[in-house]
Amino acid sequence: NAGVTQTPKFQVLKTGQSMTLQCAQDMNHEYMSWYRQDPGMGLRLIHYSVGAGITDQGEVPNGYNVSRSTTEDFPLRLLSAAPSQTSVYFCASSYGPEAFFGQGTRLTVV
Amino acid sequence: GENVEQHPSTLSVQEGDSAVIKCTYSDSASNYFPWYKQELGKRPQLIIDIRSNVGEKKDQRIAVTLNKTAKHFSLHITETQPEDSAVYFCAASRGARQLTFGSGTQLTVLP
């Protein structure tokens, strides 16, 4: 039981490049979400999904897309990376009240 | 939407002393208030949570109190130890799903 797995752990992108952050969970959780963590700002919700085929925007969705084709996977796509998207990204899943976080992806956009 | 404010941003205490971190929230409909601990370079992990129908909850050296009228809740850590040093985040939500986090408190326990 691996829990929530994120890949990659580190990534450097050039401005304008696109990429996908992967998130997979093996706990059969319906609810999954993506947060970004910036110094002094806590974790801010980007997008979330309440089940396969259903996604919605969080607090800071601009510049990001998500899809949920299976219960297990919830990838986050950066369409055209900008320096403002330099951050640590956490994926989380939950069934009940407790959110289980992945180990994070540290993204730097230069 | 919900807004959560957390204070202080940094807190240093002597080993064995108590630490208190406070949060306020804006949405009176919020009913779930978890606290997460994040060690350096690690993922956030839930340490304690409280629902709006309870005023206080304890788990060994940690406790959380909730004042619904004033819309604030607090984390109390007693007999602090070096391994308590970490960043602590409060959060609030309706129904334990879309969490809104505070900005975090860096707790340092001095030997």
Side-chain angles (χ1 to χ4, degrees):
Chain A
N1 195 338
V4 180
T5 302
Q6 288 182 237
T7 55
K9 292 185 180 179
F10 302 94
Q11 182 71 49
V12 179
L13 285 180
K14 293 183 179 180
T15 297
Q17 286 185 319
S18 62
M19 79 159 295
T20 299
L21 307 185
Q22 302 291 343
C23 176
Q25 53 94 6
D26 61 0
M27 298 174 283
N28 203 33
H29 289 169
E30 290 294 327
Y31 185 82
M32 297 186 73
S33 52
W34 276 101
Y35 291 87
R36 60 177 288 173
Q37 182 175 27
D38 302 294
M41 301 185 74
L43 294 98
R44 293 182 291 167
L45 183 64
I46 304 171
H47 284 285
Y48 65 96
S49 168
V50 299
I54 306 170
T55 64
D56 207 344
Q57 297 180 349
E59 180 186 354
V60 288
N62 293 342
Y64 308 95
N65 274 356
V66 292
S67 60
R68 185 91 180 272
S69 57
T70 67
T71 299
E72 294 77 21
D73 300 300
F74 190 43
L76 178 72
R77 297 184 190 84
L78 280 71
L79 308 174
S80 177
S84 60
Q85 294 178 304
T86 293
S87 188
V88 179
Y89 291 84
F90 286 98
C91 176
S93 75
S94 62
Y95 174 75
E98 181 176 356
F100 293 87
F101 286 87
Q103 73 271 39
T105 296
R106 184 174 294 276
L107 175 68
T108 303
V109 182
V110 298
Chain B
E2 175 67 275
N3 181 51
V4 177
E5 296 193 355
Q6 183 172 347
H7 299 281
S9 56
T10 61
L11 178 61
S12 294
V13 299
Q14 291 294 137
E15 184 176 354
D17 287 350
S18 296
V20 180
I21 303 170
K22 299 181 179 181
C23 290
T24 61
Y25 62 98
S26 62
D27 186 353
S28 56
S30 288
N31 57 10
Y32 176 68
F33 307 93
W35 287 88
Y36 282 81
K37 176 183 180 181
Q38 185 179 30
E39 297 176 348
L40 187 63
K42 301 289 184 62
R43 70 192 79 189
Q45 292 192 301
L46 180 72
I47 55 171
I48 195 168
D49 57 9
I50 191 168
R51 292 190 178 273
S52 59
N53 59 346
V54 176
E56 183 176 6
K57 184 177 179 180
K58 290 183 179 180
D59 184 3
Q60 299 183 334
R61 294 187 298 108
I62 60 173
V64 57
T65 59
L66 171 65
N67 183 326
K68 287 190 299 181
T69 302
K71 289 191 282 188
H72 66 70
F73 56 113
S74 300
L75 177 71
H76 304 253
I77 306 174
T78 59
E79 301 174 13
T80 53
Q81 302 169 1
E83 53 265 37
D84 295 329
S85 295
V87 178
Y88 291 82
F89 292 98
C90 63
S93 74
R94 300 184 189 187
R97 288 299 177 90
Q98 298 170 48
L99 296 171
T100 299
F101 284 86
S103 54
T105 297
Q106 172 69 62
L107 173 65
T108 302
V109 179
L110 305 169

mmCIF file with all atom_site columns, all heavy atoms in Angstrom, chain A residues 3-4 6-7 12-13 18 20 23 26 28 39 49-51 54 67 71-74 79 89 95 99 106-107:
data_model
loop_
_atom_site.group_PDB
_atom_site.id
_atom_site.type_symbol
_atom_site.label_atom_id
_atom_site.label_alt_id
_atom_site.label_comp_id
_atom_site.label_asym_id
_atom_site.label_entity_id
_atom_site.label_seq_id
_atom_site.pdbx_PDB_ins_code
_atom_site.Cartn_x
_atom_site.Cartn_y
_atom_site.Cartn_z
_atom_site.occupancy
_atom_site.B_iso_or_equiv
_atom_site.pdbx_formal_charge
_atom_site.auth_seq_id
_atom_site.auth_comp_id
_atom_site.auth_asym_id
_atom_site.auth_atom_id
_atom_site.pdbx_PDB_model_num
ATOM 1   N N   . GLY A 1 3   ? 0.077   4.415  -0.760  1.00 0.00 ? 3   GLY A N   1
ATOM 2   C CA  . GLY A 1 3   ? -0.529  5.676  -0.377  1.00 0.00 ? 3   GLY A CA  1
ATOM 3   C C   . GLY A 1 3   ? -0.669  6.579  -1.594  1.00 0.00 ? 3   GLY A C   1
ATOM 4   O O   . GLY A 1 3   ? -1.196  6.178  -2.617  1.00 0.00 ? 3   GLY A O   1
ATOM 5   N N   . VAL A 1 4   ? -0.174  7.821  -1.472  1.00 0.00 ? 4   VAL A N   1
ATOM 6   C CA  . VAL A 1 4   ? -0.237  8.788  -2.555  1.00 0.00 ? 4   VAL A CA  1
ATOM 7   C C   . VAL A 1 4   ? 1.169   8.975  -3.113  1.00 0.00 ? 4   VAL A C   1
ATOM 8   O O   . VAL A 1 4   ? 2.086   9.308  -2.361  1.00 0.00 ? 4   VAL A O   1
ATOM 9   C CB  . VAL A 1 4   ? -0.795  10.140 -2.072  1.00 0.00 ? 4   VAL A CB  1
ATOM 10  C CG1 . VAL A 1 4   ? -0.858  11.135 -3.228  1.00 0.00 ? 4   VAL A CG1 1
ATOM 11  C CG2 . VAL A 1 4   ? -2.164  9.957  -1.432  1.00 0.00 ? 4   VAL A CG2 1
ATOM 12  N N   . GLN A 1 6   ? 3.612   10.806 -5.969  1.00 0.00 ? 6   GLN A N   1
ATOM 13  C CA  . GLN A 1 6   ? 3.771   11.898 -6.924  1.00 0.00 ? 6   GLN A CA  1
ATOM 14  C C   . GLN A 1 6   ? 5.078   11.732 -7.685  1.00 0.00 ? 6   GLN A C   1
ATOM 15  O O   . GLN A 1 6   ? 6.094   11.368 -7.119  1.00 0.00 ? 6   GLN A O   1
ATOM 16  C CB  . GLN A 1 6   ? 3.828   13.253 -6.206  1.00 0.00 ? 6   GLN A CB  1
ATOM 17  C CG  . GLN A 1 6   ? 2.521   13.727 -5.642  1.00 0.00 ? 6   GLN A CG  1
ATOM 18  C CD  . GLN A 1 6   ? 2.670   15.101 -5.006  1.00 0.00 ? 6   GLN A CD  1
ATOM 19  O OE1 . GLN A 1 6   ? 2.360   15.268 -3.827  1.00 0.00 ? 6   GLN A OE1 1
ATOM 20  N NE2 . GLN A 1 6   ? 3.131   16.080 -5.770  1.00 0.00 ? 6   GLN A NE2 1
ATOM 21  N N   . THR A 1 7   ? 5.025   12.033 -8.971  1.00 0.00 ? 7   THR A N   1
ATOM 22  C CA  . THR A 1 7   ? 6.240   12.085 -9.783  1.00 0.00 ? 7   THR A CA  1
ATOM 23  C C   . THR A 1 7   ? 6.164   13.271 -10.736 1.00 0.00 ? 7   THR A C   1
ATOM 24  O O   . THR A 1 7   ? 5.072   13.626 -11.201 1.00 0.00 ? 7   THR A O   1
ATOM 25  C CB  . THR A 1 7   ? 6.431   10.792 -10.608 1.00 0.00 ? 7   THR A CB  1
ATOM 26  O OG1 . THR A 1 7   ? 5.263   10.558 -11.393 1.00 0.00 ? 7   THR A OG1 1
ATOM 27  C CG2 . THR A 1 7   ? 6.706   9.596  -9.718  1.00 0.00 ? 7   THR A CG2 1
ATOM 28  N N   . VAL A 1 12  ? 12.752  21.181 -13.318 1.00 0.00 ? 12  VAL A N   1
ATOM 29  C CA  . VAL A 1 12  ? 13.074  22.528 -13.756 1.00 0.00 ? 12  VAL A CA  1
ATOM 30  C C   . VAL A 1 12  ? 12.511  22.696 -15.160 1.00 0.00 ? 12  VAL A C   1
ATOM 31  O O   . VAL A 1 12  ? 12.770  21.871 -16.037 1.00 0.00 ? 12  VAL A O   1
ATOM 32  C CB  . VAL A 1 12  ? 14.588  22.795 -13.751 1.00 0.00 ? 12  VAL A CB  1
ATOM 33  C CG1 . VAL A 1 12  ? 14.871  24.205 -14.251 1.00 0.00 ? 12  VAL A CG1 1
ATOM 34  C CG2 . VAL A 1 12  ? 15.172  22.603 -12.357 1.00 0.00 ? 12  VAL A CG2 1
ATOM 35  N N   . LEU A 1 13  ? 11.748  23.751 -15.354 1.00 0.00 ? 13  LEU A N   1
ATOM 36  C CA  . LEU A 1 13  ? 11.151  24.039 -16.647 1.00 0.00 ? 13  LEU A CA  1
ATOM 37  C C   . LEU A 1 13  ? 11.587  25.402 -17.130 1.00 0.00 ? 13  LEU A C   1
ATOM 38  O O   . LEU A 1 13  ? 11.878  26.299 -16.319 1.00 0.00 ? 13  LEU A O   1
ATOM 39  C CB  . LEU A 1 13  ? 9.627   24.050 -16.548 1.00 0.00 ? 13  LEU A CB  1
ATOM 40  C CG  . LEU A 1 13  ? 8.860   22.754 -16.442 1.00 0.00 ? 13  LEU A CG  1
ATOM 41  C CD1 . LEU A 1 13  ? 7.362   23.049 -16.363 1.00 0.00 ? 13  LEU A CD1 1
ATOM 42  C CD2 . LEU A 1 13  ? 9.157   21.841 -17.610 1.00 0.00 ? 13  LEU A CD2 1
ATOM 43  N N   . SER A 1 18  ? 5.470   23.137 -21.249 1.00 0.00 ? 18  SER A N   1
ATOM 44  C CA  . SER A 1 18  ? 4.343   22.488 -20.592 1.00 0.00 ? 18  SER A CA  1
ATOM 45  C C   . SER A 1 18  ? 4.820   21.185 -19.962 1.00 0.00 ? 18  SER A C   1
ATOM 46  O O   . SER A 1 18  ? 5.848   20.626 -20.381 1.00 0.00 ? 18  SER A O   1
ATOM 47  C CB  . SER A 1 18  ? 3.222   22.205 -21.588 1.00 0.00 ? 18  SER A CB  1
ATOM 48  O OG  . SER A 1 18  ? 3.675   21.307 -22.595 1.00 0.00 ? 18  SER A OG  1
ATOM 49  N N   . THR A 1 20  ? 3.328   17.704 -17.157 1.00 0.00 ? 20  THR A N   1
ATOM 50  C CA  . THR A 1 20  ? 2.299   17.088 -16.330 1.00 0.00 ? 20  THR A CA  1
ATOM 51  C C   . THR A 1 20  ? 2.921   16.533 -15.065 1.00 0.00 ? 20  THR A C   1
ATOM 52  O O   . THR A 1 20  ? 3.902   15.792 -15.115 1.00 0.00 ? 20  THR A O   1
ATOM 53  C CB  . THR A 1 20  ? 1.590   15.958 -17.098 1.00 0.00 ? 20  THR A CB  1
ATOM 54  O OG1 . THR A 1 20  ? 0.961   16.489 -18.267 1.00 0.00 ? 20  THR A OG1 1
ATOM 55  C CG2 . THR A 1 20  ? 0.537   15.296 -16.217 1.00 0.00 ? 20  THR A CG2 1
ATOM 56  N N   . CYS A 1 23  ? 0.040   12.088 -10.210 1.00 0.00 ? 23  CYS A N   1
ATOM 57  C CA  . CYS A 1 23  ? -0.392  11.731 -8.870  1.00 0.00 ? 23  CYS A CA  1
ATOM 58  C C   . CYS A 1 23  ? -1.214  10.461 -8.949  1.00 0.00 ? 23  CYS A C   1
ATOM 59  O O   . CYS A 1 23  ? -2.159  10.385 -9.748  1.00 0.00 ? 23  CYS A O   1
ATOM 60  C CB  . CYS A 1 23  ? -1.211  12.853 -8.246  1.00 0.00 ? 23  CYS A CB  1
ATOM 61  S SG  . CYS A 1 23  ? -1.871  12.424 -6.610  1.00 0.00 ? 23  CYS A SG  1
ATOM 62  N N   . ASP A 1 26  ? -3.488  4.488  -4.184  1.00 0.00 ? 26  ASP A N   1
ATOM 63  C CA  . ASP A 1 26  ? -3.940  3.093  -4.213  1.00 0.00 ? 26  ASP A CA  1
ATOM 64  C C   . ASP A 1 26  ? -4.866  2.780  -3.046  1.00 0.00 ? 26  ASP A C   1
ATOM 65  O O   . ASP A 1 26  ? -4.982  1.632  -2.620  1.00 0.00 ? 26  ASP A O   1
ATOM 66  C CB  . ASP A 1 26  ? -2.734  2.149  -4.215  1.00 0.00 ? 26  ASP A CB  1
ATOM 67  C CG  . ASP A 1 26  ? -1.855  2.298  -2.993  1.00 0.00 ? 26  ASP A CG  1
ATOM 68  O OD1 . ASP A 1 26  ? -2.167  3.138  -2.115  1.00 0.00 ? 26  ASP A OD1 1
ATOM 69  O OD2 . ASP A 1 26  ? -0.841  1.579  -2.904  1.00 0.00 ? 26  ASP A OD2 1
ATOM 70  N N   . ASN A 1 28  ? -8.163  3.763  -3.066  1.00 0.00 ? 28  ASN A N   1
ATOM 71  C CA  . ASN A 1 28  ? -9.534  3.805  -3.576  1.00 0.00 ? 28  ASN A CA  1
ATOM 72  C C   . ASN A 1 28  ? -10.313 5.016  -3.038  1.00 0.00 ? 28  ASN A C   1
ATOM 73  O O   . ASN A 1 28  ? -11.531 4.938  -2.821  1.00 0.00 ? 28  ASN A O   1
ATOM 74  C CB  . ASN A 1 28  ? -10.280 2.506  -3.252  1.00 0.00 ? 28  ASN A CB  1
ATOM 75  C CG  . ASN A 1 28  ? -11.447 2.269  -4.186  1.00 0.00 ? 28  ASN A CG  1
ATOM 76  O OD1 . ASN A 1 28  ? -11.406 2.643  -5.363  1.00 0.00 ? 28  ASN A OD1 1
ATOM 77  N ND2 . ASN A 1 28  ? -12.504 1.660  -3.681  1.00 0.00 ? 28  ASN A ND2 1
ATOM 78  N N   . PRO A 1 39  ? 6.187   29.949 0.255   1.00 0.00 ? 39  PRO A N   1
ATOM 79  C CA  . PRO A 1 39  ? 6.636   30.445 1.577   1.00 0.00 ? 39  PRO A CA  1
ATOM 80  C C   . PRO A 1 39  ? 5.677   31.494 2.140   1.00 0.00 ? 39  PRO A C   1
ATOM 81  O O   . PRO A 1 39  ? 5.312   32.450 1.453   1.00 0.00 ? 39  PRO A O   1
ATOM 82  C CB  . PRO A 1 39  ? 8.006   31.045 1.267   1.00 0.00 ? 39  PRO A CB  1
ATOM 83  C CG  . PRO A 1 39  ? 8.482   30.303 0.064   1.00 0.00 ? 39  PRO A CG  1
ATOM 84  C CD  . PRO A 1 39  ? 7.244   30.035 -0.753  1.00 0.00 ? 39  PRO A CD  1
ATOM 85  N N   . SER A 1 49  ? -11.152 16.928 -7.233  1.00 0.00 ? 49  SER A N   1
ATOM 86  C CA  . SER A 1 49  ? -12.047 15.998 -7.914  1.00 0.00 ? 49  SER A CA  1
ATOM 87  C C   . SER A 1 49  ? -12.763 15.153 -6.861  1.00 0.00 ? 49  SER A C   1
ATOM 88  O O   . SER A 1 49  ? -12.139 14.636 -5.940  1.00 0.00 ? 49  SER A O   1
ATOM 89  C CB  . SER A 1 49  ? -11.254 15.087 -8.853  1.00 0.00 ? 49  SER A CB  1
ATOM 90  O OG  . SER A 1 49  ? -12.048 14.020 -9.318  1.00 0.00 ? 49  SER A OG  1
ATOM 91  N N   . VAL A 1 50  ? -14.073 15.012 -7.027  1.00 0.00 ? 50  VAL A N   1
ATOM 92  C CA  . VAL A 1 50  ? -14.848 14.208 -6.079  1.00 0.00 ? 50  VAL A CA  1
ATOM 93  C C   . VAL A 1 50  ? -15.075 12.793 -6.598  1.00 0.00 ? 50  VAL A C   1
ATOM 94  O O   . VAL A 1 50  ? -15.742 11.995 -5.934  1.00 0.00 ? 50  VAL A O   1
ATOM 95  C CB  . VAL A 1 50  ? -16.186 14.886 -5.738  1.00 0.00 ? 50  VAL A CB  1
ATOM 96  C CG1 . VAL A 1 50  ? -15.949 16.241 -5.080  1.00 0.00 ? 50  VAL A CG1 1
ATOM 97  C CG2 . VAL A 1 50  ? -17.058 15.033 -6.967  1.00 0.00 ? 50  VAL A CG2 1
ATOM 98  N N   . GLY A 1 51  ? -14.534 12.493 -7.766  1.00 0.00 ? 51  GLY A N   1
ATOM 99  C CA  . GLY A 1 51  ? -14.653 11.148 -8.314  1.00 0.00 ? 51  GLY A CA  1
ATOM 100 C C   . GLY A 1 51  ? -14.259 11.146 -9.780  1.00 0.00 ? 51  GLY A C   1
ATOM 101 O O   . GLY A 1 51  ? -14.086 12.209 -10.392 1.00 0.00 ? 51  GLY A O   1
ATOM 102 N N   . ILE A 1 54  ? -15.130 13.858 -12.675 1.00 0.00 ? 54  ILE A N   1
ATOM 103 C CA  . ILE A 1 54  ? -15.636 15.090 -12.055 1.00 0.00 ? 54  ILE A CA  1
ATOM 104 C C   . ILE A 1 54  ? -14.471 15.891 -11.488 1.00 0.00 ? 54  ILE A C   1
ATOM 105 O O   . ILE A 1 54  ? -13.732 15.399 -10.626 1.00 0.00 ? 54  ILE A O   1
ATOM 106 C CB  . ILE A 1 54  ? -16.626 14.785 -10.922 1.00 0.00 ? 54  ILE A CB  1
ATOM 107 C CG1 . ILE A 1 54  ? -17.749 13.873 -11.415 1.00 0.00 ? 54  ILE A CG1 1
ATOM 108 C CG2 . ILE A 1 54  ? -17.195 16.088 -10.356 1.00 0.00 ? 54  ILE A CG2 1
ATOM 109 C CD1 . ILE A 1 54  ? -18.621 13.341 -10.305 1.00 0.00 ? 54  ILE A CD1 1
ATOM 110 N N   . SER A 1 67  ? -7.562  16.384 -15.048 1.00 0.00 ? 67  SER A N   1
ATOM 111 C CA  . SER A 1 67  ? -8.544  15.429 -15.530 1.00 0.00 ? 67  SER A CA  1
ATOM 112 C C   . SER A 1 67  ? -8.564  14.262 -14.560 1.00 0.00 ? 67  SER A C   1
ATOM 113 O O   . SER A 1 67  ? -7.606  14.049 -13.816 1.00 0.00 ? 67  SER A O   1
ATOM 114 C CB  . SER A 1 67  ? -8.222  14.959 -16.941 1.00 0.00 ? 67  SER A CB  1
ATOM 115 O OG  . SER A 1 67  ? -6.942  14.328 -16.965 1.00 0.00 ? 67  SER A OG  1
ATOM 116 N N   . THR A 1 71  ? -10.191 6.401  -10.845 1.00 0.00 ? 71  THR A N   1
ATOM 117 C CA  . THR A 1 71  ? -10.173 6.742  -9.421  1.00 0.00 ? 71  THR A CA  1
ATOM 118 C C   . THR A 1 71  ? -8.751  6.944  -8.924  1.00 0.00 ? 71  THR A C   1
ATOM 119 O O   . THR A 1 71  ? -8.499  7.777  -8.062  1.00 0.00 ? 71  THR A O   1
ATOM 120 C CB  . THR A 1 71  ? -10.843 5.611  -8.613  1.00 0.00 ? 71  THR A CB  1
ATOM 121 O OG1 . THR A 1 71  ? -12.192 5.479  -9.039  1.00 0.00 ? 71  THR A OG1 1
ATOM 122 C CG2 . THR A 1 71  ? -10.820 5.906  -7.117  1.00 0.00 ? 71  THR A CG2 1
ATOM 123 N N   . GLU A 1 72  ? -7.793  6.201  -9.508  1.00 0.00 ? 72  GLU A N   1
ATOM 124 C CA  . GLU A 1 72  ? -6.428  6.188  -8.985  1.00 0.00 ? 72  GLU A CA  1
ATOM 125 C C   . GLU A 1 72  ? -5.598  7.409  -9.357  1.00 0.00 ? 72  GLU A C   1
ATOM 126 O O   . GLU A 1 72  ? -4.730  7.824  -8.610  1.00 0.00 ? 72  GLU A O   1
ATOM 127 C CB  . GLU A 1 72  ? -5.699  4.928  -9.475  1.00 0.00 ? 72  GLU A CB  1
ATOM 128 C CG  . GLU A 1 72  ? -6.245  3.613  -8.941  1.00 0.00 ? 72  GLU A CG  1
ATOM 129 C CD  . GLU A 1 72  ? -7.525  3.194  -9.650  1.00 0.00 ? 72  GLU A CD  1
ATOM 130 O OE1 . GLU A 1 72  ? -7.781  3.659  -10.781 1.00 0.00 ? 72  GLU A OE1 1
ATOM 131 O OE2 . GLU A 1 72  ? -8.281  2.390  -9.057  1.00 0.00 ? 72  GLU A OE2 1
ATOM 132 N N   . ASP A 1 73  ? -5.827  7.975  -10.532 1.00 0.00 ? 73  ASP A N   1
ATOM 133 C CA  . ASP A 1 73  ? -4.907  8.977  -11.074 1.00 0.00 ? 73  ASP A CA  1
ATOM 134 C C   . ASP A 1 73  ? -5.532  10.357 -11.183 1.00 0.00 ? 73  ASP A C   1
ATOM 135 O O   . ASP A 1 73  ? -6.689  10.496 -11.602 1.00 0.00 ? 73  ASP A O   1
ATOM 136 C CB  . ASP A 1 73  ? -4.412  8.539  -12.454 1.00 0.00 ? 73  ASP A CB  1
ATOM 137 C CG  . ASP A 1 73  ? -3.675  7.214  -12.404 1.00 0.00 ? 73  ASP A CG  1
ATOM 138 O OD1 . ASP A 1 73  ? -2.661  7.150  -11.691 1.00 0.00 ? 73  ASP A OD1 1
ATOM 139 O OD2 . ASP A 1 73  ? -4.133  6.253  -13.043 1.00 0.00 ? 73  ASP A OD2 1
ATOM 140 N N   . PHE A 1 74  ? -4.738  11.368 -10.868 1.00 0.00 ? 74  PHE A N   1
ATOM 141 C CA  . PHE A 1 74  ? -5.225  12.750 -10.935 1.00 0.00 ? 74  PHE A CA  1
ATOM 142 C C   . PHE A 1 74  ? -4.065  13.644 -11.370 1.00 0.00 ? 74  PHE A C   1
ATOM 143 O O   . PHE A 1 74  ? -3.431  14.319 -10.564 1.00 0.00 ? 74  PHE A O   1
ATOM 144 C CB  . PHE A 1 74  ? -5.768  13.169 -9.572  1.00 0.00 ? 74  PHE A CB  1
ATOM 145 C CG  . PHE A 1 74  ? -6.511  14.476 -9.571  1.00 0.00 ? 74  PHE A CG  1
ATOM 146 C CD1 . PHE A 1 74  ? -7.418  14.795 -10.572 1.00 0.00 ? 74  PHE A CD1 1
ATOM 147 C CD2 . PHE A 1 74  ? -6.332  15.393 -8.540  1.00 0.00 ? 74  PHE A CD2 1
ATOM 148 C CE1 . PHE A 1 74  ? -8.120  15.987 -10.557 1.00 0.00 ? 74  PHE A CE1 1
ATOM 149 C CE2 . PHE A 1 74  ? -7.031  16.586 -8.513  1.00 0.00 ? 74  PHE A CE2 1
ATOM 150 C CZ  . PHE A 1 74  ? -7.921  16.890 -9.519  1.00 0.00 ? 74  PHE A CZ  1
ATOM 151 N N   . LEU A 1 79  ? 0.111   24.347 -18.562 1.00 0.00 ? 79  LEU A N   1
ATOM 152 C CA  . LEU A 1 79  ? -0.072  24.550 -19.989 1.00 0.00 ? 79  LEU A CA  1
ATOM 153 C C   . LEU A 1 79  ? 1.087   25.317 -20.610 1.00 0.00 ? 79  LEU A C   1
ATOM 154 O O   . LEU A 1 79  ? 1.597   24.951 -21.660 1.00 0.00 ? 79  LEU A O   1
ATOM 155 C CB  . LEU A 1 79  ? -1.385  25.292 -20.219 1.00 0.00 ? 79  LEU A CB  1
ATOM 156 C CG  . LEU A 1 79  ? -2.598  24.657 -19.527 1.00 0.00 ? 79  LEU A CG  1
ATOM 157 C CD1 . LEU A 1 79  ? -3.827  25.539 -19.677 1.00 0.00 ? 79  LEU A CD1 1
ATOM 158 C CD2 . LEU A 1 79  ? -2.852  23.262 -20.072 1.00 0.00 ? 79  LEU A CD2 1
ATOM 159 N N   . TYR A 1 89  ? 4.404   21.461 -5.120  1.00 0.00 ? 89  TYR A N   1
ATOM 160 C CA  . TYR A 1 89  ? 3.049   21.001 -5.401  1.00 0.00 ? 89  TYR A CA  1
ATOM 161 C C   . TYR A 1 89  ? 2.783   19.698 -4.644  1.00 0.00 ? 89  TYR A C   1
ATOM 162 O O   . TYR A 1 89  ? 3.577   18.765 -4.680  1.00 0.00 ? 89  TYR A O   1
ATOM 163 C CB  . TYR A 1 89  ? 2.873   20.773 -6.901  1.00 0.00 ? 89  TYR A CB  1
ATOM 164 C CG  . TYR A 1 89  ? 2.900   22.059 -7.683  1.00 0.00 ? 89  TYR A CG  1
ATOM 165 C CD1 . TYR A 1 89  ? 4.102   22.638 -8.080  1.00 0.00 ? 89  TYR A CD1 1
ATOM 166 C CD2 . TYR A 1 89  ? 1.712   22.725 -7.996  1.00 0.00 ? 89  TYR A CD2 1
ATOM 167 C CE1 . TYR A 1 89  ? 4.133   23.834 -8.777  1.00 0.00 ? 89  TYR A CE1 1
ATOM 168 C CE2 . TYR A 1 89  ? 1.730   23.918 -8.694  1.00 0.00 ? 89  TYR A CE2 1
ATOM 169 C CZ  . TYR A 1 89  ? 2.941   24.464 -9.076  1.00 0.00 ? 89  TYR A CZ  1
ATOM 170 O OH  . TYR A 1 89  ? 2.957   25.660 -9.753  1.00 0.00 ? 89  TYR A OH  1
ATOM 171 N N   . TYR A 1 95  ? -10.829 9.851  1.877   1.00 0.00 ? 95  TYR A N   1
ATOM 172 C CA  . TYR A 1 95  ? -12.127 9.191  1.856   1.00 0.00 ? 95  TYR A CA  1
ATOM 173 C C   . TYR A 1 95  ? -13.012 9.812  2.936   1.00 0.00 ? 95  TYR A C   1
ATOM 174 O O   . TYR A 1 95  ? -14.099 10.270 2.695   1.00 0.00 ? 95  TYR A O   1
ATOM 175 C CB  . TYR A 1 95  ? -11.950 7.688  2.092   1.00 0.00 ? 95  TYR A CB  1
ATOM 176 C CG  . TYR A 1 95  ? -13.257 6.960  2.233   1.00 0.00 ? 95  TYR A CG  1
ATOM 177 C CD1 . TYR A 1 95  ? -14.047 6.708  1.116   1.00 0.00 ? 95  TYR A CD1 1
ATOM 178 C CD2 . TYR A 1 95  ? -13.715 6.537  3.472   1.00 0.00 ? 95  TYR A CD2 1
ATOM 179 C CE1 . TYR A 1 95  ? -15.257 6.056  1.235   1.00 0.00 ? 95  TYR A CE1 1
ATOM 180 C CE2 . TYR A 1 95  ? -14.918 5.884  3.595   1.00 0.00 ? 95  TYR A CE2 1
ATOM 181 C CZ  . TYR A 1 95  ? -15.690 5.641  2.486   1.00 0.00 ? 95  TYR A CZ  1
ATOM 182 O OH  . TYR A 1 95  ? -16.889 4.996  2.611   1.00 0.00 ? 95  TYR A OH  1
ATOM 183 N N   . ALA A 1 99  ? -6.893  14.082 5.060   1.00 0.00 ? 99  ALA A N   1
ATOM 184 C CA  . ALA A 1 99  ? -6.249  14.174 3.752   1.00 0.00 ? 99  ALA A CA  1
ATOM 185 C C   . ALA A 1 99  ? -4.870  13.536 3.828   1.00 0.00 ? 99  ALA A C   1
ATOM 186 O O   . ALA A 1 99  ? -4.087  13.862 4.713   1.00 0.00 ? 99  ALA A O   1
ATOM 187 C CB  . ALA A 1 99  ? -6.143  15.629 3.315   1.00 0.00 ? 99  ALA A CB  1
ATOM 188 N N   . ARG A 1 106 ? 8.820   19.552 -6.284  1.00 0.00 ? 106 ARG A N   1
ATOM 189 C CA  . ARG A 1 106 ? 9.401   20.901 -6.265  1.00 0.00 ? 106 ARG A CA  1
ATOM 190 C C   . ARG A 1 106 ? 9.657   21.333 -7.694  1.00 0.00 ? 106 ARG A C   1
ATOM 191 O O   . ARG A 1 106 ? 10.491  20.755 -8.387  1.00 0.00 ? 106 ARG A O   1
ATOM 192 C CB  . ARG A 1 106 ? 10.685  20.928 -5.450  1.00 0.00 ? 106 ARG A CB  1
ATOM 193 C CG  . ARG A 1 106 ? 11.302  22.316 -5.313  1.00 0.00 ? 106 ARG A CG  1
ATOM 194 C CD  . ARG A 1 106 ? 12.491  22.308 -4.371  1.00 0.00 ? 106 ARG A CD  1
ATOM 195 N NE  . ARG A 1 106 ? 12.100  22.009 -3.003  1.00 0.00 ? 106 ARG A NE  1
ATOM 196 C CZ  . ARG A 1 106 ? 11.647  22.899 -2.129  1.00 0.00 ? 106 ARG A CZ  1
ATOM 197 N NH1 . ARG A 1 106 ? 11.527  24.157 -2.480  1.00 0.00 ? 106 ARG A NH1 1
ATOM 198 N NH2 . ARG A 1 106 ? 11.338  22.525 -0.902  1.00 0.00 ? 106 ARG A NH2 1
ATOM 199 N N   . LEU A 1 107 ? 8.911   22.345 -8.135  1.00 0.00 ? 107 LEU A N   1
ATOM 200 C CA  . LEU A 1 107 ? 8.989   22.824 -9.513  1.00 0.00 ? 107 LEU A CA  1
ATOM 201 C C   . LEU A 1 107 ? 9.625   24.205 -9.557  1.00 0.00 ? 107 LEU A C   1
ATOM 202 O O   . LEU A 1 107 ? 9.215   25.104 -8.819  1.00 0.00 ? 107 LEU A O   1
ATOM 203 C CB  . LEU A 1 107 ? 7.597   22.886 -10.136 1.00 0.00 ? 107 LEU A CB  1
ATOM 204 C CG  . LEU A 1 107 ? 7.514   23.479 -11.544 1.00 0.00 ? 107 LEU A CG  1
ATOM 205 C CD1 . LEU A 1 107 ? 8.188   22.550 -12.552 1.00 0.00 ? 107 LEU A CD1 1
ATOM 206 C CD2 . LEU A 1 107 ? 6.068   23.721 -11.954 1.00 0.00 ? 107 LEU A CD2 1
#
